[in-house]
Amino acid sequence: MVADGPRGPAQTKRLTLIRPDDWHVHLRDGAILAQVVPDTARRFARAIVMPNLDPPVCRVADALAYRARILAALPAGARFEPLMTLYLTETTQASEVVQAHASGAVRAIKYYPAGATTNAAHAVRDLRRCYPVLAAMERYDLPLLLHGEVTDPSVDVFDREAVFLERHLLPLTQAFPGLRVVLEHITTRASVEFVNAGPSTLAATITAHHLLLDRNALFDGGLRPHHYCLPLLKRADHRAALVAAATSGSPKFFLGTDSAPHPRHAKESSCGCAGIYTAHAALELYAEVFEEAHALDRLEKFASYNGPDFYRLPRNQGHITLVKEPWRVASTISAGGDVLVPLRAGEDVGWRLVE
Ligand code: NCD
Ligand code: ZN
Ligand code: ZN
């Protein structure tokens, strides 16, 4: 990575790194897909694409068809490889794992606790019912990606990730020591500590918004639906633990935006959807975090090395350059007949992508 400026590293103005990948993104489908995929493809060479469409992507054949729709939506000349995932259900068969492994296009299987988040209604009620599938994943070395929250209504929503660690993740890692597991979009100090203490088969993604915002951002002068995501933003001390983990240089933490577009009317509603759109400025937002932590020299590891190393894929060849130059984010982005409100709408981002 090259980070320099007219007066040396203290005045960094330009940042060049190996092209990064996004290890957790929602590209959706149809008109929204066509609108959002260029934002991701402009920055990232590859992305792990979440399967929570409606209906969800449960079979390898569905994933291959979805992959073709993503490729068809790319701007002419764009080079971007969607890494597909399957949506785990209690009826997923071990044979699907064998097919996924053979496909070369499906790179992981995603666990959602039933009802935990967007389009999770058909997901898993009791993870133990999936143990035969997990055994096949362990055998075929196909990673399991976790939305790590319990849905038990008696557990406070801010505690659902921490409770998941003890109730589900600990027994899971003990039952399948060879299974590679990614705890997605972590939000708490407990998760950082759990992942750090765990085996090398356990890693975590961290979003830009959980690195930038704490839960005060949900109620800043009024209710802020565009800061509502799952798992919820947490207290400032948790955010500090996430920043420390992302900038630590540990191979266990890597970039996953969880960019999750929803039409504005679905966010600004009496029962609004969870999800924050960040793909329009994803790498630039992470650069702000790493600069603030005086760790710009670690961004490449987090964004471009740790993910492929964990997934056992080659690191990318090309480079990407950012300059320290503020630009104004649009207040809305039109997507088909709908409108998205991106993170930082109408405000500045400190780093700009050089095409
Ligand atoms: C995601 C979505 O909208 O699909 N929302 C979110 O708040 N993160 C689902 C998810 O990743 O849990
Ligand atoms: Zn999730
Ligand atoms: Zn997600």
Side-chain angles (χ1 to χ4, degrees):
M1 189 193 75
V2 188
D4 58 18
R7 272 159 290 176
Q11 300 259 323
T12 299
K13 289 281 185 278
R14 200 177 174 85
L15 193 62
T16 294
L17 46 152
I18 291 278
R19 198 164 191 82
D21 305 298
D22 184 350
W23 299 95
H24 181 135
V25 71
H26 300 269
L27 296 178
R28 312 303 193 201
D29 216 342
I32 296 204
L33 166 65
Q35 178 59 47
V36 302
V37 75
D39 282 344
T40 292
R42 202 171 293 139
R43 292 163 181 80
F44 301 104
R46 298 168 290 198
I48 283 278
V49 181
M50 288 297 133
N52 61 332
L53 303 182
D54 184 15
V57 179
C58 296
R59 313 288 304 264
V60 173
D62 303 330
L64 296 178
Y66 183 31
R67 180 174 184 276
R69 295 198 297 280
I70 295 167
L71 294 175
L74 285 173
R79 275 193 311 194
F80 171 73
E81 192 187 349
L83 307 172
M84 307 311 292
T85 61
L86 301 184
Y87 181 109
L88 185 66
T89 71
E90 291 180 6
T91 57
T92 303
Q93 301 292 308
S95 58
E96 209 66 37
V97 173
V98 182
Q99 275 188 56
H101 171 79
S103 75
V106 175
R107 298 294 180 174
I109 297 187
K110 179 68 189 271
Y111 162 80
Y112 293 99
T117 188
T118 308
N119 293 338
H122 311 285
V124 179
R125 245 159 281 277
D126 181 354
L127 188 55
R128 283 165 304 185
R129 296 213 187 102
C130 299
Y131 271 26
V133 179
L134 303 190
M137 292 171 67
E138 183 181 44
R139 198 164 340 111
Y140 284 88
D141 200 21
L142 195 64
L144 175 68
L145 314 183
L146 301 172
H147 180 107
E149 287 193 294
V150 297
T151 52
D152 181 343
S154 71
V155 176
D156 187 276
V157 286
F158 287 97
D159 296 334
R160 287 180 183 183
E161 181 177 291
V163 171
F164 179 87
L165 303 175
E166 301 308 320
R167 238 183 240 183
H168 299 289
L169 187 52
L170 189 60
L172 178 80
T173 52
Q174 286 165 349
F176 302 100
L179 179 64
R180 278 184 293 150
V181 174
V182 184
L183 189 57
E184 300 288 336
H185 49 41
I186 60 170
T187 64
T188 58
R189 177 181 299 281
S191 288
V192 169
E193 288 171 356
F194 191 98
V195 170
N196 267 326
S200 64
T201 46
L202 179 63
T205 54
I206 311 182
T207 76
H209 47 276
H210 289 104
L211 291 168
L212 286 162
L213 304 173
D214 62 47
R215 67 191 206 179
N216 284 351
L218 278 166
F219 311 106
D220 186 10
L223 189 60
R224 300 286 185 170
H226 300 290
H227 289 159
Y228 172 54
C229 64
L230 288 168
L232 286 164
L233 299 171
K234 303 295 192 301
R235 288 177 181 276
D237 56 316
H238 291 288
R239 183 178 85 87
L242 298 176
V243 172
T247 60
S248 68
S250 161
K252 288 172 150 280
F253 301 99
F254 41 86
L255 186 158
T257 62
D258 193 19
S259 179
H262 290 277
R264 179 166 67 184
H265 65 80
K267 298 277 301 168
E268 297 175 6
S269 153
S270 61
C271 187
C273 293
I276 301 181
Y277 186 64
T278 55
H280 64 294
L283 190 62
E284 300 90 317
L285 293 167
Y286 283 104
E288 286 186 358
V289 173
F290 277 67
E291 180 180 36
E292 166 82 18
H294 305 287
L296 274 177
D297 59 331
R298 301 265 170 87
L299 179 59
E300 187 174 45
K301 213 169 173 298
F302 177 77
S304 313
Y305 292 176
N306 294 346
D309 293 357
F310 183 85
Y311 275 85
R312 301 192 183 134
L313 291 168
R315 293 175 184 177
N316 295 316
Q317 296 287 325
H319 291 82
I320 190 167
T321 297
L322 300 178
V323 287
K324 181 78 191 295
E325 224 173 71
W327 57 283
R328 181 61 48 95
V329 175
S331 52
T332 57
I333 298 175
S334 63
D338 280 315
V339 161
L340 308 177
V341 179
L343 188 64
R344 287 283 169 84
E347 294 171 34
D348 283 358
V349 170
W351 287 83
R352 192 173 62 75
L353 188 68
V354 179
E355 297 295 339

